[in-house]
Amino acid sequence: MSTGARAFWVSSPGEGEIRHVDVSDPAQGEVLVRSLWSGVSRGTETLVFRGGVPESQHAVMRAPFQEGDFPGPVKYGYLNVGVVEQGPAALVGRTVFCLYPHQTRYVVPATAVTVVPETVPAERAVLAGTVETAVNALWDAAPLAGDRIAVVGGGMVGCSVAALLARFPGVRVQLVDADPARATIAEALGVDFATPADALGGRDLVVHASATEQGLTRSLELLADEGTVLELSWYGDRKVSLPLGEDFHSRRLVVRSSQVGAVSPTRRSSRTYADRLALALELLADPALDALVTGDSAFEELPEVMPKLASGEIPALCHRIGYGQERLT
């Protein structure tokens, strides 16, 4: 048997629609999940919505349960929290996180869902995918006690990194963003704030997540000699130039990439993807991370909300999508 559900699709660059889809009953080893919340990661998802994924990256950028292809029509997303309604007895009734697009209900292998700890509210658990990116970044960066660190770019990923760094012993963290309003979020996360012009230099590590050429250039300027910029930004099809002349070589600066698609080499032999995601969910027990959710909309509003998120008309870190009390029909 199958039942009806609804899903958000990018029908073409800059255009979205809600489509009716059929969802089959779960087979053995599968679960049927009813969505409670999903999250829009403004950086990557709005890039997909605008049709900005380069052709060379179409395969790399595929989400785990994506349908369709870039630039569209495509069903894309990876921050979903729901409740298991059918499946193995140990999971029925449990709140779970899944890397699934915006859809009212769906069937996936039971191994594709992670149980949300009881200490983490379902509405906060939509941040798990982004906090997982931050965990991987810090495995790559390997900050040390007492480091002086800047996080340039106060978006969803940058703020997640700053929030985790705030827990490191003796680390001095400054969140750097061109928008002075991000100071309120920095305060909630327990870190300092500065605009790019006022940011402190002499940093041992700079984590860059602004996805701008100016931000990456400023990140290099903030480094102490032999310091490292960890680059988390995804630029899509945009070209970026860097000032690699002047004192870049004499100061022995480093620019290093980090990407969540693979477990950091520093932990790859001892941690799985499931381990990393479970850790991210555990870290979400901290209520300070609620500051990363900056807006809510109903699922039905997504076709109108996504263009506003993409244009910046709705300023957002994580924009949360609610599914009300929709039940199987």
Side-chain angles (χ1 to χ4, degrees), residues 80-94:
N80 188 290
V81 176
V83 61
V84 175
E85 297 210 323
Q86 295 180 41
L91 289 174
V92 171
R94 303 296 297 273

Side-chain angles (χ1 to χ4, degrees), residues 29-53:
E30 293 183 328
V31 290
L32 172 65
V33 179
R34 173 173 54 85
S35 294
L36 299 174
W37 304 94
S38 60
V40 178
S41 176
R42 186 171 178 269
T44 303
E45 283 200 61
T46 58
L47 184 77
V48 170
F49 184 74
R50 294 193 303 267
V53 179

Side-chain angles (χ1 to χ4, degrees), residues 35-279:
S35 294
L36 299 174
W37 304 94
S38 60
V40 178
S41 176
R42 186 171 178 269
T44 303
E45 283 200 61
T46 58
L47 184 77
V48 170
F49 184 74
R50 294 193 303 267
V53 179
E55 186 172 351
S56 64
Q57 297 300 300
H58 282 190
V60 174
M61 283 292 294
R62 287 192 69 86
F65 295 101
Q66 173 181 326
E67 292 184 36
D69 297 299
F70 304 120
V74 62
K75 183 177 76 175
Y76 191 88
Y78 48 84
L79 302 173
N80 188 290
V81 176
V83 61
V84 175
E85 297 210 323
Q86 295 180 41
L91 289 174
V92 171
R94 303 296 297 273
T95 300
V96 295
F97 176 85
C98 185
L99 297 167
Y100 204 88
H102 309 283
Q103 186 164 314
T104 56
R105 57 185 73 88
Y106 54 90
V107 171
V108 293
T111 54
V113 301
T114 302
V115 174
V116 175
E118 293 183 2
T119 54
V120 179
E123 56 268 32
R124 190 187 304 150
V126 296
L127 297 168
T130 306
V131 173
E132 182 185 13
T133 299
V135 167
N136 206 60
L138 295 185
W139 284 349
D140 280 334
L144 300 176
D147 273 358
R148 296 162 296 178
I149 302 174
V151 178
V152 176
M156 193 174 169
V157 171
C159 285
S160 296
V161 171
L164 299 191
L165 283 170
R167 306 166 182 225
F168 277 66
V171 165
R172 295 165 56 189
V173 185
Q174 188 170 67
L175 182 66
V176 180
D177 197 275
D179 182 0
R182 291 286 191 261
T184 302
I185 294 172
E187 182 179 7
L189 298 177
V191 300
D192 295 332
F193 177 82
T195 61
D198 297 328
L200 298 174
R203 304 295 93 183
D204 302 297
L205 169 68
V206 177
V207 178
H208 179 240
S210 81
T212 67
E213 182 177 304
Q214 295 87 348
L216 184 51
T217 298
R218 186 61 177 140
S219 296
L220 287 169
E221 294 171 349
L222 296 177
L223 285 176
D225 289 356
E226 301 187 346
T228 296
V229 170
L230 188 76
E231 176 59 277
L232 292 181
S233 299
W234 168 245
Y235 297 94
D237 55 1
R238 288 177 292 145
K239 304 293 184 183
V240 176
S241 62
L242 278 179
L244 300 184
E246 302 178 356
D247 60 357
F248 177 79
H249 289 286
S250 64
R251 295 179 60 209
R252 299 179 63 83
L253 304 181
V254 174
V255 179
R256 182 180 178 187
S257 66
S258 178
Q259 208 272 340
V260 74
V263 174
S264 169
T266 66
R267 294 293 181 271
R268 197 170 297 163
S269 65
S270 59
R271 303 291 193 279
T272 65
Y273 289 100
D275 293 333
R276 190 178 64 183
L277 180 55
L279 173 59

